[in-house]
Amino acid sequence: MEISFEKEIQQLRLGTGDTFHGEGILAITKALLESGVAYIGGYQGAPVSHLLDVMVQAKDLVGELGVHVEACSNEASAAAMLGASIHYPLRGAVTWKSIVGTNVAADALANLSSPGVTGGVLMVIGEDYGEGASVVQERTHAYAMKSGMILLDPRPDLQNMVDMVKHAFAMSEASNMPAMMELRIRACHLRGSFVCSDNRKPAISAQSPLAEPAGFDYGRLAHPPSTFRHEKLKVEQRMPAARDYLVAHQLNELRDGRHAHIGIIVQGGVSPALLRALQEFGVADAFGHSDVPLLILNVTYPLAHAQIADFAAGKEALLVVEEGSPEYIEHEISSVLRRSGLSTALHGKDMMPATGELNPEAMLQGLAQFFEQHLTAVDVAPVRSQLQATLARRQQLAALLQRAPTAPAPSTAAPALPARPPGFCIGCPERPVFSALKQVQAEVGPLHIAADIGCHSFATFEPFSMGHSILGYGMSLASRAGVSPMMQRRVVSIMGDGGFWHNGLLTGVQSALFNRDDAVLLIFKNGYTSATGTQDIISTPGKQHKHSALDKTASLTASDRTIEDTLAGIGVQWLRTVHSYRVSTMRRVLREALTTDFRGLKVIVAEGECQLERQRRIRPWLEALLARNERVVRVKYGVDDDVCNGDHACMRLSGCPTLTLKDNPDPLKVDPVATVNDGCVGCGLCGENAHAATLCPSFYRAEVIRNPRWRERVVDALRRVALRMLRPA
Ligand code: SF4
Ligand code: SF4
């Protein structure tokens, strides 16, 4: 990874009384160090990647504190790390993106939660839910319930989040339950400040190691018959201890309001949105004061039943504001009310949206309904007309965006706004491979394509629209196992190098070899786990290679054969490595894999460095060359307006955002012509496609030379003279 986190690391060094200013996820990282963690691990993923990225670079700081940092190969290995806290009074923290990461970690989490922990354990979970999310929409809450783990959902305020990290460790130790803290996208990126404490060196650490291991204790193994006792401990001791802690330390926030006959119980993470929505009704202010009593749950599991019953007592109605489905919190509160004999009316998902992010606008409708029934003193008409006006404005905008000048007027139903999907970076090495895959399908027929998680999943969008399923990270080859025997043509499975190491090697390759499956696997070897922020993996070439000036223009991926050696070592017999940008070669090799008589696993490694990381790597090098007035060549592709016939076949094979359209300069032609704008990084795909697919000869390759040599200046001058002479007078 080429990004430096030097500034962030300085923030982590702040001491008692200093004020930290920065992002939520960095504040959490600082809080871990202030809590005396002995080890930190995890697997990157938005929105929590920053935590691990910073810690991996903060080698000096963690070395001084004796904290062990591990960049784990997947979430299961991160969760398994927490096993250190079963026997030893070691505080540990791990991080990953949920729900997908928690799914991967689930086995280890169940086996951790069963014996319980001695040292406090905290999982910092990026709850990738709602607007901007990139994974399946489910709730981490289910895991807390099923395995018996604490779940914190702190109100997004940096001081509160930091305090909750410290309480999470203490609560975990008081109850022997592992704790999870879910942080939504906005909480991670929220900026604010808090007053720091000194970082705490752990008593047992890499600097002060344990002299002896713990004694053997069968009761701490997640094995029968211990597991039967563990189940009882969870219910009879651990949950009550966790509840006692959260009540004694007032982790949930009770806010009184003058409309005492009603109340709202809300997850801490969505409480700012609720307060903003309440402002619209005039029952809250911008400083968080509410006329409606609130119970803000910084801890959403376990719930303190007595606290819920106390809050509900004497109230006519409660509203539970809970994001996502199923409504676990509401169900539990319903049981509490029933068992407490309270007749308080309970509302939640009957009024609030069942799915999607609870932003203030999403809450207005539900709050209006709640107030109409239980707070008639509030006039909801202005909010209702505001909602109507917003809906009408949306419909109008959607109609304007969708309607061509000659199209009929839109119907009253709001059409969807045009989607703005993400796409490959300019010059991405994965785009040419999909160009080749598109071309080979024109020869052999349509293929079933098992897609995967990673940048290559951008090929599911136009102009490629490839991929029939995505079953999990690194799962493409495994997901094809039930499909390929039923297909006349071979199925192609797509996997990135990140996915290969995360899961694909075992679940896919090993299984396909063991079962002697006739399968085709296409691995993108771009050198990093690019989709999560270009973190290094085991097959990332060494740093000394990356920083050698001589290697700046070379392909980094070519220097590492770990994937190929692993495949050969495990028994893959049909293995080809092809440079990603060689479209003709890739097309030929794909055709061979799809039609060869060889029955068994065929693996094509598409080799080409992630362009994003390459640009980061070479930019400072080029800037340094220019500063020394040295020669720098930039390759750029272009389209000859006179030759382009305007059929846009090049765009349907590329999708590069810098290959775009412009008005046809020929007044006798109406079709817009293709053009390459200044963003082109000269990856060469335009030329490769024009050659491989026998497109028109309108593409040209140009070299923009800064600080040219004298010979080049002379040649340039001569060319200009010749051009002037050829030009008609
Ligand atoms: S981050 Fe790298 S691999 Fe991902 S789309 Fe961009 S260039 Fe391609
Ligand atoms: S050569 Fe073509 S595909 Fe490559 S960056 Fe330039 S315009 Fe995009």
Side-chain angles (χ1 to χ4, degrees), residues 23 143 379 700:
E23 263 196 336
Y143 281 95
D379 180 10
Y700 62 83

Side-chain angles (χ1 to χ4, degrees), residues 168-388:
F169 283 112
M171 195 171 167
S172 172
E173 283 159 3
S175 64
N176 305 123
M177 292 165 74
M180 297 195 282
M181 176 178 283
E182 62 173 314
L183 296 172
R184 293 171 178 76
I185 300 170
R186 291 177 212 279
C188 287
H189 301 310
L190 166 92
R191 296 188 78 82
S193 56
F194 72 93
V195 180
C196 300
S197 307
D198 287 337
N199 294 330
R200 267 176 54 194
K201 278 189 178 191
I204 304 164
S205 70
Q207 281 183 353
S208 317
L210 282 162
E212 300 294 339
F216 178 75
D217 181 355
Y218 194 87
R220 289 186 186 264
L221 290 173
H223 256 184
S226 303
T227 43
F228 305 119
R229 182 168 167 270
H230 295 163
E231 189 189 16
K232 285 172 80 71
L233 285 174
K234 278 184 186 177
V235 177
E236 293 170 5
Q237 291 184 18
R238 297 179 196 166
M239 295 277 274
R243 287 184 174 120
D244 287 350
Y245 184 98
L246 81 91
V247 171
H249 294 84
Q250 299 176 4
L251 300 193
N252 294 331
E253 298 171 64
L254 257 173
R255 297 196 185 166
D256 290 335
R258 63 190 174 90
H259 301 301
H261 68 289
I262 58 170
I264 300 178
I265 301 179
V266 59
Q267 291 165 300
V270 294
S271 59
L274 171 69
L275 283 159
R276 181 66 192 86
L278 290 174
Q279 276 184 58
E280 294 297 309
F281 293 93
V283 292
D285 64 22
F287 302 99
H289 304 124
S290 166
D291 292 340
V292 179
L294 302 178
L295 177 57
I296 299 174
L297 301 175
N298 284 307
V299 181
T300 51
Y301 192 82
L303 294 178
H305 292 175
Q307 184 180 57
I308 301 283
D310 282 353
F311 183 69
K315 296 201 185 313
E316 171 191 316
L318 281 184
L319 176 69
V320 179
V321 177
E322 180 180 8
E323 196 169 65
S325 283
E327 59 271 46
Y328 300 115
I329 298 174
E330 188 183 331
H331 288 162
E332 192 169 346
I333 291 174
S334 171
S335 302
V336 172
L337 297 185
R338 188 88 182 135
R339 286 179 186 161
S340 309
L342 292 165
S343 57
T344 309
L346 182 66
H347 297 285
K349 291 297 181 193
D350 55 334
M351 294 181 173
M352 285 288 170
T355 58
E357 185 176 327
L358 284 186
N359 58 30
E361 191 190 330
M363 290 187 196
L364 290 178
Q365 189 76 39
L367 285 171
Q369 209 181 330
F370 182 64
F371 290 157
E372 274 169 346
Q373 287 187 26
H374 300 290
L375 190 59
T376 47
V378 168
D379 180 10
V380 301
V383 169
R384 286 221 180 273
S385 56
Q386 182 191 327
L387 285 169
Q388 280 297 329

Side-chain angles (χ1 to χ4, degrees), residues 426-427 637 654 656 658-659 676 680-686:
I426 295 164
Y637 280 72
S654 161
C656 175
T658 61
L659 174 58
V676 176
C680 171
V681 295
C683 76
L685 173 59
C686 286

Side-chain angles (χ1 to χ4, degrees), residues 423-430 455 458 526 530-531 534 610-613:
F424 293 114
C425 297
I426 295 164
C428 174
E430 307 194 348
C455 289
F458 294 144
N526 64 27
S530 300
T534 64
C610 165
Q611 189 69 224
L612 182 67
E613 196 69 345

Side-chain angles (χ1 to χ4, degrees), residues 25-104:
I25 190 62
L26 194 65
I28 296 284
T29 313
K30 173 76 172 112
L32 296 180
L33 299 179
E34 291 182 5
S35 303
V37 282
Y39 62 96
I40 296 177
Y43 190 81
Q44 65 275 353
V48 290
S49 289
H50 207 47
L51 193 162
L52 202 62
D53 291 344
V54 172
M55 291 315 295
V56 166
Q57 285 192 15
K59 286 199 176 65
D60 291 347
L61 175 60
V62 297
E64 287 162 27
L65 295 169
V67 178
H68 173 70
V69 176
E70 184 118 348
C72 302
S73 56
N74 59 27
E75 297 84 353
S77 66
M81 248 185 115
L82 299 173
S85 297
I86 293 177
H87 288 280
Y88 306 104
L90 293 169
R91 286 188 167 183
V94 293
T95 187
W96 57 71
K97 167 201 198 90
S98 203
I99 191 71
V100 287
T102 313
N103 290 342
V104 176

Side-chain angles (χ1 to χ4, degrees), residues 481-501:
V483 181
S484 54
M486 321 296 167
M487 287 279 167
Q488 276 189 356
R489 281 181 220 116
R490 285 179 179 140
V491 171
V492 173
S493 305
I494 309 278
M495 200 183 286
D497 42 8
F500 175 79
W501 294 118

